[in-house]
Amino acid sequence: MRFVRYQIEDDAPRFGWLLEDKVGGIEGDLFGEFRRLEAETPLADVRLLAPVRPSKIICVGRNYVAHAKEHNAEVPKVPLLFFKPPSAVIAPGDAIVLPPQSQQVEHEAELVIVIGKRGRNVTAEAAREHILGYTVGNDVTARDLQRADRLWTRAKGFDTFAPFGPWIDSDFNPSDAVITCRVNGQMRQMASTRDMVFGVSTLIAFISSVMTLEPGDLIFTGTPAGVGALADGDVVEVEIEGLGKLSNPVRAE
Ligand code: MG
């Protein structure tokens, strides 16, 4: 099933589900007991929002060998983790804003895990029970600031640097899907999620051995090779086969 968060005109944001190109509301708790109302509103008549409001956004660095190589970096022995702040979230279609502090803001196409159930010390075998579904993400990065700083908080944390969506797919199989990034229609990144160094279950076990995962938390699973710069006026599209396409324009602050 595909879940969305949406707004009709000025109504309060709400969770919903998709049936082809129609949206239906969800009554109850998306992370617990809920009931689906009939999908009768055309998708074109709603504004899609970021599909969840995460309490934390955990990201995995250098999780594809070819991407680590393009930065002359070693592939980590254990998953390399960092955070993006929830304030960096934007809705599908919202603009990524290039901050004046950076001359080199880059796209990073990523598969994103959406946590559905609270968990600490989750085993790899039990990881699936804690996943609500998957979505498409762009780990926007100020590469020059990442190189300048030892910690990546600034480079990864600007407002608008965490686009994800447009929906969460609870049936998606992440084992071998093509992930691409296009800028103005031109292919920049293409790989398979099969090439991740640490897979979904391993990541959930590793991360939950450190911190409690909460419903709605996101795990950005790392980007393949081919990252590159974004400029004012660009449109960046991240697509994962069988999951969806996330599109955002880019503008200077
Ligand atoms: Mg990344």
Side-chain angles (χ1 to χ4, degrees):
M1 197 186 316
R2 285 182 171 173
F3 298 108
V4 291
R5 209 168 128 259
Y6 68 102
Q7 208 171 8
I8 300 175
E9 291 172 355
D10 291 333
D11 290 357
R14 60 183 303 181
F15 287 110
W17 66 290
L18 278 184
L19 183 63
E20 292 167 359
D21 58 350
K22 296 271 175 52
V23 183
I26 278 178
E27 238 176 35
D29 178 6
L30 178 65
F31 302 103
E33 297 279 310
F34 64 83
R35 191 167 77 89
R36 285 179 289 162
L37 306 178
E38 200 176 336
E40 50 190 9
T41 308
L43 187 54
D45 292 353
V46 311
R47 175 173 137 72
L48 288 183
L49 306 172
V52 284
R53 302 185 65 191
S55 75
K56 54 189 172 294
I57 304 169
I58 306 141
C59 304
V60 183
R62 299 173 189 153
N63 200 26
Y64 287 80
V65 174
H67 171 64
K69 272 191 183 155
E70 72 183 343
H71 288 153
N72 294 315
E74 297 277 314
V75 175
K77 302 263 188 304
V78 296
L80 173 63
L81 305 182
F82 62 94
F83 283 129
K84 286 169 106 70
S87 48
V89 168
I90 54 173
D94 279 2
I96 295 164
V97 178
L98 305 174
Q101 298 97 315
S102 173
Q103 301 340 298
Q104 191 188 359
V105 174
E106 297 193 341
H107 55 79
E108 293 193 0
E110 306 200 6
L111 172 72
V112 177
I113 307 165
V114 183
I115 297 298
K117 186 177 138 191
R118 191 167 210 262
R120 178 80 208 275
N121 292 322
V122 176
T123 62
E125 293 69 33
R128 279 188 72 146
E129 297 164 32
H130 292 263
I131 299 172
L132 175 67
Y134 298 87
T135 189
V136 181
N138 189 344
D139 171 18
V140 181
T141 304
R143 194 71 65 201
D144 48 354
L145 305 185
Q146 186 185 26
R147 275 194 301 267
D149 296 351
R150 276 193 62 204
L151 299 178
W152 301 352
T153 309
R154 182 169 67 134
K156 300 283 192 176
F158 283 96
D159 284 4
T160 77
F161 274 23
F164 69 98
W167 44 69
I168 298 162
D169 192 323
S170 61
D171 303 317
F172 177 72
N173 177 352
S175 59
D176 184 14
V178 175
I179 176 165
T180 59
C181 179
R182 289 182 179 80
V183 178
N184 306 326
Q186 193 178 42
M187 188 75 80
R188 293 274 192 90
Q189 295 183 271
M190 184 164 76
S192 168
T193 55
R194 182 187 57 211
D195 297 332
M196 290 198 296
V197 176
F198 301 105
V200 166
S201 300
T202 305
L203 289 176
I204 287 180
F206 182 81
I207 295 166
S208 72
S209 75
V210 180
M211 63 190 88
T212 302
L213 293 172
E214 301 285 354
D217 282 354
L218 303 180
I219 301 172
F220 277 61
T221 59
T223 198
V227 299
L230 295 170
D232 185 26
D234 284 347
V235 174
V236 55
E237 293 173 312
V238 179
E239 186 166 9
I240 300 178
E241 178 191 23
L243 178 53
K245 180 160 75 176
L246 172 70
S247 178
N248 299 90
V250 178
R251 66 172 175 80
E253 185 168 314

